[in-house]
Amino acid sequence: MRQLIHKILKEHWGYDQFRPLQEDIILSVMENRDTMALLPTGGGKSICFQVPALAKDGLCIVISPLIALMKDQVMNLKKKGVKAAAIFSGMPQEKIKIIIDNCLFDKDLKFLYVSPERLKTELFRVNLQRMNVSMIAVDEAHCISQWGYDFRPPYLEIAEIRQYFPYAPVLALTATATPEVVTDIQEKLKFKKENVFQKSFKRDNLTYYVVKEQDKQGRMLRIIERYPGTGIVYVRNRRKTRETAEFLQRHGISADFYHAGLDSAERDRKQQAWMDGKIRIIVSTNAFGMGIDKPDVRFVIHIDIPDTLEGYFQEAGRGGRDLKPSIAVMLYDDSDLRELNRNFQLTFPPMEFIQTVYRTLCSDLFIPMGEGQDESFPFDVAEFSQKHSWNPVEVYNSLKLIEKTGALFLCDEHYEPAKLMFTISREDFDNQQNTPFYKKAESFIQLLLRSYSGVFSRYVTVNENELAKRAGCTRQEVVAKLRYLKKMGYIDYEEATSLPRVEFVRARVDERHLFYDPTVYTRRKEVALKRLESVTKYVKHDSICRSRLLLAYFGETESEACGKCDICLQQSHERVGSREFERISTAVSTIWDECEDIKEVVFRLCTQFEEEKIVNVTRWLIDNKKLKMK
C-alpha cells in the first residue's frame, strides 16, 4: 500500500516524498478509517484525498462550498491526466444529467466535486445511490459545525448519504478549527471512531505584525519597498481592490486586482500572471488564495481587519510556503474597529426583517407556498433592495442567514455590478457642450449626471436596468450608449458580469418557520460576537506574542514566543537598557556590512554582550530601517 501511494505521488505530482502527516492521513483512509485532517494553509490537504482516491477502485465524492475552488481542482486534475467533474449552482440541467451519467458508467472518472446543497436535490440523491463510491472527502469541514465560523446547514446532509456507502471512509479536511469544532465535526459526520491527524499551526518562518497607522497606503508602500519579492494585499470589498492596485501602479509597482465578481477567464489570467511572476502584487478580497499554492510569497498585507481569526490565519498563511522568512502585516486605525462593530450589527438584521426579505423574495419570484424546490433564478441584490427601499447590505446578510437555515443558496461568486467614471475633467466637459457629439448625446449624459453624483472624481455603481427605465429604452440600448461614451473618451465604463443566482434548496415555507429552533438565530449571533471579540483582542493586545495569541485560539496553549513580532520586539527593546541598547546598536551597525547574517553578528559580538540582546537589537534595527535586511 505504501509503495502504491508513493508511485501515484511520483507519477501525477512528481514528488518523491509526502509532506509531514500526509502519508499517515492517506494510509488511514486506505485502511477505510474515518479520518480528520487538520492541516494549516499550504499543508497540502488536496493530496490527502486525491492520492487515496486514485489508489482505490471507484469514485471519490468531494464536497466543497467554493465553486472557484472546485473548478480549479478539476482543471488541475485534468492537466495531470485524471478524469474529474464538478456540479455546481447555475449549471444547465442537461449538463448535470450528462455528468451524472458519466459518474454511473465511466469507470475512469475518479472525482466528482459537488456543493453541499447538491446533496439535497432529488435528482442527485436518486443517482448517487447507484454510484460506486470509494470515499467521501469533505473540504472546509468546519462548515458542518455550528461552532465553526462558516456554518452551512446543507453540510449536515453528508452524514445522511453515508448510509448508501457503509464501507466508504470519510476524510474531513480543514485548515482552521478550534478544539470544540474538531470534536463537533466528527460527531456531525458520524465518525465510527475518533481519528484526528493534526499538524501544529506554528509557522516559524512567518512573522506577524499589527500596526496602528493612519496613513495605511503610505505604510503599505514602505513595506513593499522594504521587502523584495511577491505579495498579496487583502482588502474588504471589490471596489478597494481596483483602487489599491491602481494606487500601487501609480507608484511604479507591478500590481493587479482580483475578486470573485470578475469572469472566470479574467480571474484565471490575473491569477496566472501573478503565479508566473509577471505581476508582483495581487490586491484581492478573501476570494483569492483558495487552492493556490505559490510558495514564494514574501509578504501578506491586510489593509482592513478581517472578520474572524480563522479567516485571517488562512489568508496570512499564504505567505512563506517555501519555508523562507515572510511577514504578515495587519494595518488598522480606530475607525476600522468601529467599522468592524458596525458590520457586525448589519450582519445580523432583526429576525422580523429577515423573514420579510424571504417572504418578499418568494413573492417577487412568484413561488407559491410548498413549491420552488431545486429552482434557480438570476437575482440582483441591489435591484431587489432598491425596489423595496432597503439597505442592500442588510438584505444581503439576511439572505446569507436564510442560507444557513438550508432554505436557499445565494451564489454570488461571479457577480460585479457595472461601474463608470467620467474620464474628462468638469472644465473640459463644460467646454464640450457646443460640439455636435455632445448635442447628439446630451439627453443621455444629463440623465447620468442626474442619476449619479461624484462621477467626475470616482467610480460609481450603475444599474443599467434602472437607467433603461428612466431613459425609456431597453437595457441593451443603455449598454450601447455607455460603450459609445467610453469609446469617445468621455467615461470609463465597466460592464456588469453575470448576475448572481438564488437557488431554492427546499420548497417555500411560511417565513415564521425559517428558524425552527428559536434559539438558532441567537446562538449564531453569540458565536459571531465571540469571534469579533477575539479579532479585537488580537488587534489591541500589547503584551502577548502574536504567534502565541493565534496558536492559543486554535488550542495550542503551550507555544513559545516567536521573538520577532511587533510585541516581542517592543518587549525586547524595553528589556535592554537605553545605554546598553546604544552600545549594542553601534557595535552591530559597525560590522553589519561585513557579516552574512545575524548569526555571524552574534558570533562576533557574543564576548561583549548577551546573545539574546544582540539578536533583539539587530532585529529592531532591521525592522525600523536602521539596517538593510540581508
Side-chain angles (χ1 to χ4, degrees), residues 99-112:
I99 291 174
I100 289 175
D101 283 345
N102 289 339
C103 292
L104 291 170
F105 304 114
D106 186 349
K107 293 182 179 179
D108 293 328
L109 186 65
K110 298 299 294 182
F111 296 93
L112 175 62

Side-chain angles (χ1 to χ4, degrees), residues 424-433:
I424 62 174
S425 67
R426 184 79 207 212
E427 182 180 357
D428 289 341
F429 172 78
D430 291 337
N431 293 334
Q432 292 276 329
Q433 294 188 14

